[in-house]
Coordinates of all heavy atoms in Angstrom, one line a residue:
M15 N 0.8 -1.2 0.0 CA 0.0 0.0 0.0 C 0.9 1.3 0.0 O 1.9 1.3 0.7 CB -0.9 0.0 1.2 CG -2.3 0.6 0.9 SD -3.4 0.3 2.3 CE -3.4 1.9 3.0
E16 N 0.5 2.2 -0.7 CA 1.3 3.4 -0.9 C 0.9 4.5 0.1 O -0.3 4.7 0.4 CB 1.0 4.0 -2.3 CG 2.2 4.9 -2.8 CD 2.0 5.3 -4.2 OE1 1.7 4.4 -5.1 OE2 2.1 6.5 -4.5
M17 N 1.9 5.0 0.7 CA 1.7 6.1 1.7 C 1.4 7.4 0.9 O 2.0 7.7 -0.1 CB 2.9 6.3 2.6 CG 3.2 5.0 3.4 SD 2.1 4.9 4.9 CE 3.1 5.9 6.1
E18 N 0.6 8.2 1.5 CA 0.3 9.5 0.9 C 0.7 10.7 1.8 O 0.6 10.5 3.0 CB -1.2 9.6 0.5 CG -1.6 8.9 -0.7 CD -3.0 9.1 -1.1 OE1 -3.6 10.1 -0.6 OE2 -3.6 8.3 -1.8
Y19 N 1.0 11.7 1.1 CA 1.3 13.0 1.9 C 0.0 13.7 2.2 O -0.8 13.9 1.3 CB 2.3 13.9 1.1 CG 3.7 13.4 1.3 CD1 4.3 12.6 0.3 CD2 4.5 13.8 2.4 CE1 5.6 12.1 0.4 CE2 5.8 13.3 2.5 CZ 6.3 12.5 1.5 OH 7.6 12.1 1.7
N20 N -0.2 14.1 3.4 CA -1.4 14.8 3.8 C -1.0 16.1 4.4 O 0.0 16.2 5.2 CB -2.3 14.0 4.7 CG -2.9 12.8 4.0 OD1 -3.6 12.9 3.0 ND2 -2.6 11.6 4.5
C21 N -1.8 17.1 4.2 CA -1.6 18.4 4.9 C -2.2 18.4 6.3 O -3.4 18.1 6.4 CB -2.2 19.5 4.0 SG -2.2 21.1 4.9
P22 N -1.3 18.5 7.3 CA -1.9 18.5 8.7 C -2.8 19.7 8.9 O -3.7 19.6 9.8 CB -0.6 18.6 9.5 CG 0.4 19.2 8.6 CD 0.1 18.8 7.2
L23 N -2.7 20.8 8.2 CA -3.6 21.9 8.4 C -4.9 21.6 7.8 O -6.0 21.9 8.4 CB -2.9 23.2 7.8 CG -3.6 24.5 8.1 CD1 -3.8 24.7 9.6 CD2 -2.9 25.6 7.5
C24 N -5.0 21.0 6.6 CA -6.2 20.7 5.9 C -7.0 19.6 6.8 O -8.2 19.6 6.8 CB -6.0 20.1 4.6 SG -5.6 21.3 3.3
N25 N -6.2 18.8 7.4 CA -6.9 17.7 8.2 C -7.1 18.1 9.6 O -7.5 17.2 10.4 CB -6.0 16.4 8.1 CG -6.0 15.8 6.7 OD1 -7.0 15.4 6.2 ND2 -4.8 15.9 6.0
G26 N -6.9 19.3 10.0 CA -7.2 19.8 11.3 C -6.3 19.3 12.4 O -6.6 19.3 13.6
L27 N -5.1 18.8 12.0 CA -4.2 18.3 13.0 C -3.4 19.4 13.7 O -3.0 19.3 14.8 CB -3.2 17.3 12.4 CG -3.8 16.1 11.7 CD1 -2.7 15.2 11.0 CD2 -4.5 15.2 12.8
I28 N -3.2 20.5 12.9 CA -2.5 21.6 13.5 C -3.3 22.9 13.2 O -4.2 22.9 12.3 CB -1.1 21.8 12.9 CG1 -1.1 22.0 11.4 CG2 -0.2 20.6 13.3 CD1 0.2 22.5 10.8
T29 N -3.1 23.9 13.9 CA -3.6 25.2 13.6 C -2.4 26.2 13.5 O -1.4 26.1 14.2 CB -4.6 25.8 14.6 OG1 -4.0 25.7 15.9 CG2 -5.9 24.9 14.6
I30 N -2.5 27.2 12.6 CA -1.5 28.2 12.5 C -2.1 29.5 12.8 O -3.1 29.9 12.2 CB -0.9 28.1 11.0 CG1 -0.1 26.8 10.8 CG2 0.0 29.3 10.8 CD1 0.5 26.7 9.4
S31 N -1.5 30.2 13.7 CA -2.0 31.5 14.0 C -1.1 32.6 13.4 O 0.1 32.7 13.8 CB -2.0 31.7 15.6 OG -2.9 30.8 16.2
E32 N -1.6 33.2 12.4 CA -0.8 34.2 11.6 C -1.4 35.6 11.9 O -2.6 35.8 11.8 CB -0.9 33.9 10.1 CG -0.1 34.7 9.3 CD 1.4 34.4 9.4 OE1 1.8 33.5 10.0 OE2 2.2 35.2 8.9
R33 N -0.5 36.5 12.3 CA -0.9 37.8 12.6 C -0.8 38.7 11.3 O 0.2 38.5 10.6 CB -0.1 38.5 13.7 CG -0.3 37.8 15.0 CD -1.5 38.5 15.7 NE -1.8 37.8 17.0 CZ -2.9 38.1 17.7 NH1 -3.7 39.0 17.3 NH2 -3.2 37.4 18.7
C34 N -1.7 39.5 11.1 CA -1.7 40.4 9.9 C -0.5 41.4 10.1 O -0.4 42.1 11.1 CB -3.0 41.2 9.8 SG -3.0 42.4 8.5
P35 N 0.3 41.5 9.1 CA 1.5 42.4 9.2 C 1.0 43.9 9.1 O 1.8 44.8 9.5 CB 2.3 42.1 8.0 CG 1.4 41.4 7.0 CD 0.3 40.7 7.9
E36 N -0.2 44.1 8.7 CA -0.7 45.5 8.6 C -1.3 46.0 9.9 O -1.0 47.1 10.4 CB -1.8 45.6 7.5 CG -1.2 45.4 6.1 CD -0.4 46.6 5.6 OE1 -0.6 47.7 6.1 OE2 0.5 46.4 4.7
C37 N -2.3 45.2 10.4 CA -3.0 45.7 11.6 C -2.9 44.8 12.8 O -3.4 45.1 13.8 CB -4.5 45.9 11.2 SG -5.3 44.3 10.8
G38 N -2.2 43.6 12.6 CA -2.0 42.8 13.8 C -3.2 41.9 14.2 O -3.1 41.2 15.2
S39 N -4.2 41.9 13.3 CA -5.4 41.0 13.6 C -5.0 39.6 13.3 O -4.1 39.3 12.5 CB -6.6 41.4 12.8 OG -7.1 42.6 13.2
L40 N -5.7 38.6 13.9 CA -5.5 37.2 13.6 C -6.1 36.9 12.3 O -7.2 37.2 12.0 CB -6.2 36.4 14.7 CG -5.6 35.0 15.0 CD1 -4.1 35.1 15.4 CD2 -6.3 34.4 16.2
M41 N -5.3 36.4 11.4 CA -5.7 36.1 10.1 C -6.5 34.8 10.0 O -6.3 33.9 10.8 CB -4.6 36.1 9.1 CG -3.8 37.4 9.1 SD -2.4 37.5 7.9 CE -3.3 38.0 6.4
E42 N -7.4 34.6 9.0 CA -8.2 33.4 8.9 C -7.7 32.5 7.8 O -7.3 33.0 6.7 CB -9.7 33.9 8.6 CG -10.3 34.6 9.7 CD -11.7 35.1 9.3 OE1 -12.0 35.1 8.1 OE2 -12.5 35.5 10.3
D43 N -7.8 31.3 8.1 CA -7.4 30.3 7.1 C -8.5 30.1 6.1 O -9.6 29.7 6.4 CB -7.1 28.9 7.8 CG -6.7 27.9 6.8 OD1 -6.4 28.2 5.6 OD2 -6.7 26.7 7.2
W44 N -8.3 30.4 4.8 CA -9.3 30.3 3.8 C -9.1 29.0 3.0 O -9.8 28.8 2.0 CB -9.3 31.5 2.9 CG -10.1 32.6 3.4 CD1 -10.0 33.2 4.7 CD2 -11.2 33.3 2.8 NE1 -10.9 34.2 4.8 CE2 -11.6 34.3 3.7 CE3 -11.8 33.2 1.5 CZ2 -12.7 35.1 3.4 CZ3 -12.8 34.1 1.2 CH2 -13.3 35.0 2.1
G45 N -8.2 28.2 3.4 CA -8.1 26.9 2.8 C -6.9 27.0 1.7 O -6.2 27.9 1.7
R46 N -6.9 25.9 0.9 CA -5.8 25.8 0.0 C -5.9 26.8 -1.1 O -6.9 27.0 -1.7 CB -5.8 24.4 -0.6 CG -5.6 23.3 0.4 CD -5.6 21.9 -0.2 NE -6.7 21.7 -1.1 CZ -6.6 20.9 -2.2 NH1 -5.5 20.3 -2.5 NH2 -7.7 20.8 -3.0
V47 N -4.7 27.3 -1.5 CA -4.7 28.3 -2.6 C -5.1 27.6 -3.9 O -5.7 28.2 -4.7 CB -3.2 28.8 -2.7 CG1 -3.0 29.5 -4.1 CG2 -2.9 29.8 -1.6
Q48 N -4.8 26.3 -4.0 CA -5.2 25.5 -5.2 C -6.7 25.7 -5.5 O -7.1 25.7 -6.7 CB -4.9 24.0 -5.0 CG -3.4 23.7 -5.1 CD -2.8 23.7 -3.8 OE1 -3.0 24.5 -2.9 NE2 -2.0 22.6 -3.5
D49 N -7.5 25.7 -4.4 CA -8.9 25.8 -4.6 C -9.3 27.1 -5.3 O -10.4 27.2 -6.0 CB -9.6 25.7 -3.3 CG -9.4 24.3 -2.6 OD1 -9.0 23.4 -3.4 OD2 -9.6 24.2 -1.4
Y50 N -8.5 28.1 -5.1 CA -8.9 29.4 -5.7 C -8.3 29.6 -7.0 O -8.6 30.6 -7.7 CB -8.4 30.6 -4.7 CG -9.1 30.5 -3.4 CD1 -8.4 30.0 -2.3 CD2 -10.4 30.9 -3.3 CE1 -9.1 29.9 -1.1 CE2 -11.1 30.8 -2.0 CZ -10.4 30.3 -0.9 OH -11.0 30.2 0.2
L51 N -7.5 28.7 -7.4 CA -6.9 28.7 -8.8 C -7.9 28.1 -9.8 O -7.7 28.1 -11.0 CB -5.6 28.0 -8.9 CG -4.5 28.7 -8.0 CD1 -3.2 27.9 -8.0 CD2 -4.1 30.1 -8.6
D52 N -8.9 27.4 -9.2 CA -9.9 26.8 -10.1 C -10.6 27.9 -10.9 O -11.2 28.9 -10.4 CB -10.9 26.1 -9.2 CG -11.9 25.3 -9.9 OD1 -12.3 25.7 -11.0 OD2 -12.2 24.2 -9.4
P53 N -10.6 27.7 -12.2 CA -11.3 28.8 -13.1 C -12.8 28.9 -12.9 O -13.4 29.9 -13.3 CB -10.9 28.3 -14.5 CG -10.6 26.8 -14.4 CD -10.0 26.7 -13.0
Y54 N -13.4 27.9 -12.2 CA -14.8 28.0 -12.0 C -15.1 28.7 -10.7 O -16.3 28.8 -10.3 CB -15.4 26.6 -12.0 CG -15.3 25.9 -13.3 CD1 -14.3 24.9 -13.5 CD2 -16.1 26.3 -14.4 CE1 -14.1 24.3 -14.8 CE2 -15.9 25.7 -15.6 CZ -15.0 24.7 -15.8 OH -14.8 24.1 -17.0
Q55 N -14.1 29.2 -10.0 CA -14.3 30.0 -8.8 C -13.6 31.3 -9.0 O -12.7 31.6 -8.3 CB -13.8 29.3 -7.6 CG -14.4 27.9 -7.3 CD -14.0 27.3 -6.0 OE1 -13.2 27.8 -5.3 NE2 -14.5 26.1 -5.8
P56 N -14.2 32.2 -9.8 CA -13.5 33.4 -10.2 C -13.9 34.6 -9.2 O -13.6 35.7 -9.5 CB -14.0 33.7 -11.6 CG -15.3 33.1 -11.6 CD -15.4 32.0 -10.6
Y57 N -14.6 34.3 -8.1 CA -15.1 35.4 -7.4 C -14.2 36.1 -6.5 O -14.4 37.1 -6.0 CB -16.3 34.9 -6.5 CG -16.0 33.7 -5.7 CD1 -15.5 33.8 -4.4 CD2 -16.4 32.4 -6.1 CE1 -15.2 32.7 -3.7 CE2 -16.1 31.3 -5.4 CZ -15.5 31.4 -4.2 OH -15.3 30.3 -3.4
L58 N -13.0 35.4 -6.2 CA -12.0 36.1 -5.4 C -11.0 36.8 -6.2 O -10.3 36.2 -7.0 CB -11.3 35.1 -4.5 CG -11.9 34.8 -3.1 CD1 -11.0 33.9 -2.3 CD2 -12.1 36.1 -2.3
D59 N -10.9 38.1 -6.0 CA -10.0 38.9 -6.8 C -8.7 39.0 -6.1 O -8.3 40.1 -5.5 CB -10.6 40.3 -7.1 CG -9.7 41.1 -8.0 OD1 -8.9 40.5 -8.8 OD2 -9.8 42.3 -8.0
I60 N -8.0 37.9 -6.0 CA -6.7 37.9 -5.4 C -5.6 37.5 -6.4 O -5.8 36.6 -7.1 CB -6.7 36.9 -4.2 CG1 -7.7 37.4 -3.1 CG2 -5.3 36.8 -3.6 CD1 -8.0 36.5 -2.0
S61 N -4.6 38.3 -6.4 CA -3.6 38.0 -7.4 C -2.7 36.8 -7.1 O -1.8 36.9 -6.3 CB -2.7 39.2 -7.6 OG -2.2 39.6 -6.4
I62 N -3.2 35.7 -7.6 CA -2.4 34.5 -7.3 C -1.9 33.9 -8.7 O -2.7 33.7 -9.6 CB -3.3 33.4 -6.7 CG1 -3.7 33.9 -5.3 CG2 -2.6 32.1 -6.6 CD1 -4.8 33.0 -4.6
T63 N -0.7 33.8 -8.8 CA -0.1 33.2 -10.0 C 0.3 31.8 -9.7 O 0.8 31.5 -8.6 CB 1.0 34.1 -10.5 OG1 1.9 34.3 -9.5 CG2 0.5 35.4 -11.1
A64 N 0.3 31.0 -10.7 CA 0.7 29.6 -10.6 C 2.2 29.6 -10.3 O 3.0 30.3 -11.0 CB 0.5 28.9 -11.9
S65 N 2.6 29.0 -9.2 CA 4.0 29.0 -8.8 C 4.5 27.6 -8.7 O 3.8 26.7 -8.9 CB 4.1 29.7 -7.4 OG 3.4 29.0 -6.5
E66 N 5.8 27.6 -8.4 CA 6.4 26.2 -8.3 C 5.8 25.5 -7.0 O 5.7 24.3 -7.0 CB 7.9 26.3 -8.1 CG 8.6 26.9 -9.3 CD 9.2 28.3 -9.0 OE1 9.8 28.4 -8.0 OE2 8.9 29.2 -9.8
E67 N 5.4 26.3 -6.1 CA 4.8 25.7 -4.8 C 3.6 24.8 -5.2 O 3.5 23.8 -4.6 CB 4.3 26.9 -3.9 CG 5.4 27.8 -3.5 CD 4.8 29.1 -2.9 OE1 3.6 29.1 -2.7 OE2 5.5 30.1 -2.8
R68 N 2.9 25.3 -6.1 CA 1.7 24.6 -6.5 C 2.0 23.2 -7.0 O 1.2 22.3 -6.8 CB 1.0 25.4 -7.6 CG -0.5 25.0 -7.7 CD -1.1 25.7 -8.9 NE -2.3 25.0 -9.4 CZ -2.7 25.1 -10.6 NH1 -2.2 25.8 -11.5 NH2 -3.8 24.4 -11.0
R69 N 3.1 23.0 -7.7 CA 3.4 21.7 -8.3 C 4.1 20.8 -7.3 O 4.2 19.6 -7.6 CB 4.2 21.9 -9.5 CG 3.5 22.4 -10.7 CD 4.3 22.3 -12.0 NE 5.4 23.3 -11.9 CZ 5.3 24.5 -12.4 NH1 4.2 25.0 -12.9 NH2 6.4 25.3 -12.3
D70 N 4.5 21.4 -6.2 CA 5.2 20.5 -5.2 C 4.1 19.9 -4.3 O 3.5 20.5 -3.5 CB 6.1 21.4 -4.3 CG 6.9 20.5 -3.4 OD1 6.6 19.3 -3.2 OD2 7.9 21.1 -2.9
E71 N 3.9 18.6 -4.6 CA 2.8 17.9 -3.9 C 3.1 17.6 -2.4 O 2.2 17.2 -1.7 CB 2.6 16.5 -4.6 CG 1.9 16.8 -5.9 CD 1.7 15.5 -6.7 OE1 2.0 14.4 -6.1 OE2 1.2 15.5 -7.8
K72 N 4.3 17.9 -2.0 CA 4.6 17.6 -0.6 C 4.4 18.9 0.2 O 4.7 19.0 1.4 CB 6.1 17.1 -0.4 CG 6.2 15.7 -1.0 CD 7.7 15.3 -0.8 CE 7.8 13.9 -1.4 NZ 7.5 13.9 -2.8
K73 N 3.9 19.9 -0.4 CA 3.6 21.2 0.3 C 2.2 21.6 0.0 O 1.7 21.4 -1.1 CB 4.6 22.3 -0.2 CG 6.0 22.1 0.4 CD 6.8 23.3 0.2 CE 8.1 23.4 1.0 NZ 8.8 22.1 1.0
C74 N 1.5 22.1 1.0 CA 0.2 22.6 0.8 C 0.2 24.1 1.1 O 0.7 24.5 2.2 CB -0.8 21.9 1.7 SG -2.5 22.3 1.5
V75 N -0.2 24.9 0.1 CA -0.1 26.4 0.3 C -1.5 26.9 0.7 O -2.5 26.7 0.0 CB 0.4 27.1 -0.9 CG1 0.5 28.6 -0.7 CG2 1.7 26.5 -1.4
H76 N -1.6 27.5 1.9 CA -2.9 28.0 2.4 C -3.0 29.5 2.2 O -2.0 30.2 2.3 CB -3.1 27.6 3.8 CG -3.5 26.2 4.1 ND1 -4.8 25.9 4.6 CD2 -2.9 25.1 3.8 CE1 -4.9 24.6 4.6 NE2 -3.8 24.0 4.1
L77 N -4.2 29.9 1.9 CA -4.4 31.3 1.8 C -5.0 31.8 3.2 O -5.9 31.3 3.7 CB -5.5 31.6 0.7 CG -5.9 33.0 0.5 CD1 -4.8 33.8 -0.1 CD2 -7.1 33.1 -0.5
Y78 N -4.3 32.9 3.7 CA -4.8 33.5 4.9 C -5.2 34.9 4.6 O -4.5 35.6 3.9 CB -3.6 33.5 6.0 CG -3.6 32.3 6.8 CD1 -3.2 31.1 6.3 CD2 -4.1 32.3 8.1 CE1 -3.2 29.9 7.0 CE2 -4.1 31.1 8.9 CZ -3.6 29.9 8.3 OH -3.7 28.8 9.1
L79 N -6.4 35.2 5.1 CA -6.9 36.6 4.9 C -7.2 37.3 6.2 O -7.7 36.7 7.2 CB -8.3 36.5 4.1 CG -8.3 36.4 2.6 CD1 -9.7 36.4 2.1 CD2 -7.5 37.6 2.0
C80 N -6.8 38.6 6.2 CA -7.1 39.4 7.4 C -8.6 39.8 7.3 O -9.0 40.4 6.4 CB -6.2 40.6 7.5 SG -6.6 41.7 8.8
P81 N -9.4 39.5 8.4 CA -10.8 39.9 8.4 C -11.0 41.4 8.5 O -12.1 41.9 8.3 CB -11.4 39.1 9.5 CG -10.3 38.9 10.4 CD -9.0 38.8 9.6
R82 N -10.0 42.1 9.0 CA -10.1 43.5 9.3 C -9.7 44.4 8.1 O -10.5 45.2 7.7 CB -9.2 43.8 10.5 CG -9.6 45.1 11.1 CD -9.1 45.1 12.6 NE -8.7 46.5 13.0 CZ -8.0 46.8 14.0 NH1 -7.4 45.8 14.7 NH2 -7.7 48.0 14.4
C83 N -8.6 44.1 7.5 CA -8.1 45.0 6.4 C -8.0 44.3 5.1 O -7.8 44.9 4.1 CB -6.8 45.6 6.8 SG -5.4 44.5 6.8
G84 N -8.3 43.0 5.1 CA -8.4 42.3 3.8 C -7.1 41.9 3.2 O -7.0 41.4 2.1
R85 N -6.0 42.1 3.9 CA -4.7 41.7 3.4 C -4.6 40.1 3.3 O -5.1 39.4 4.2 CB -3.6 42.2 4.3 CG -2.2 42.0 3.7 CD -1.2 42.5 4.7 NE 0.1 42.1 4.2 CZ 1.0 42.9 3.7 NH1 0.8 44.2 3.7 NH2 2.2 42.5 3.3
D86 N -4.0 39.6 2.3 CA -3.9 38.2 2.1 C -2.4 37.8 2.1 O -1.6 38.6 1.7 CB -4.6 37.7 0.9 CG -4.0 38.2 -0.4 OD1 -4.3 39.3 -0.8 OD2 -3.1 37.5 -0.9
T87 N -2.2 36.6 2.6 CA -0.8 36.1 2.5 C -0.9 34.6 2.3 O -2.0 34.0 2.5 CB -0.1 36.4 3.8 OG1 1.3 36.1 3.7 CG2 -0.6 35.7 5.0
R88 N 0.2 34.0 2.0 CA 0.2 32.6 1.8 C 1.1 31.9 2.8 O 2.2 32.3 3.0 CB 0.7 32.2 0.3 CG -0.4 32.4 -0.7 CD 0.1 32.0 -2.0 NE 0.6 33.2 -2.7 CZ 1.2 33.1 -3.9 NH1 1.3 31.9 -4.5 NH2 1.7 34.2 -4.5
I89 N 0.6 30.8 3.3 CA 1.4 30.0 4.3 C 1.7 28.6 3.7 O 0.7 27.9 3.3 CB 0.6 29.8 5.6 CG1 0.2 31.2 6.1 CG2 1.4 29.0 6.6 CD1 1.3 32.0 6.7
T90 N 2.9 28.3 3.6 CA 3.2 27.0 3.0 C 3.4 26.0 4.1 O 4.1 26.2 5.1 CB 4.6 27.1 2.2 OG1 4.4 28.1 1.2 CG2 4.9 25.7 1.6
V91 N 2.6 24.9 4.0 CA 2.6 23.8 5.1 C 3.3 22.6 4.5 O 3.0 22.2 3.4 CB 1.2 23.5 5.5 CG1 1.2 22.4 6.6 CG2 0.5 24.7 6.0
N92 N 4.3 22.1 5.2 CA 4.9 20.9 4.8 C 4.0 19.7 5.1 O 3.5 19.5 6.2 CB 6.2 20.6 5.5 CG 7.3 21.6 5.1 OD1 7.5 21.7 3.9 ND2 7.9 22.3 6.0
Q93 N 3.7 18.9 4.1 CA 2.8 17.8 4.3 C 3.5 16.6 5.0 O 4.7 16.5 4.9 CB 2.2 17.3 2.9 CG 1.5 18.4 2.3 CD 0.6 17.9 1.1 OE1 0.6 16.8 0.8 NE2 -0.1 18.9 0.5
I94 N 2.7 15.8 5.6 CA 3.3 14.7 6.4 C 2.8 13.4 5.8 O 1.7 13.3 5.2 CB 2.9 14.8 7.9 CG1 1.4 14.9 8.0 CG2 3.6 15.9 8.5 CD1 0.9 14.8 9.5
L95 N 3.6 12.3 6.0 CA 3.1 11.0 5.5 C 2.0 10.5 6.4 O 2.1 10.5 7.6 CB 4.3 10.1 5.5 CG 5.1 10.0 4.2 CD1 6.3 9.0 4.4 CD2 4.3 9.5 3.1
G96 N 1.0 10.0 5.7 CA -0.1 9.5 6.5 C -0.6 8.2 5.9 O -0.1 7.8 4.8
P97 N -1.5 7.5 6.5 CA -2.0 6.2 6.0 C -2.8 6.4 4.7 O -3.4 7.4 4.5 CB -2.9 5.7 7.2 CG -3.2 6.9 7.9 CD -2.1 7.9 7.7
Ligands
ZN123 ZN1 -3.5 22.2 3.5
ZN124 ZN1 -5.1 43.4 8.8

């Protein structure tokens, strides 16, 4: 059986508390950046370009948004081997 890499953040194993560099508010995890690269979800006007990170399957890139000032940032999570 083949082991797969799983993102601990997607699976709720860890939480990441990221502070907004602009206003210091706690930023919210909006999930994987990959989900927003889907052409059928064009509602978010965030400048995300396809990067090398996206092709690296051992990393999961999460989008964090500040609920107060709307600033966005990306957090790269190293995936872990799971069953
Ligand atoms: Zn993830
Ligand atoms: Zn902010």
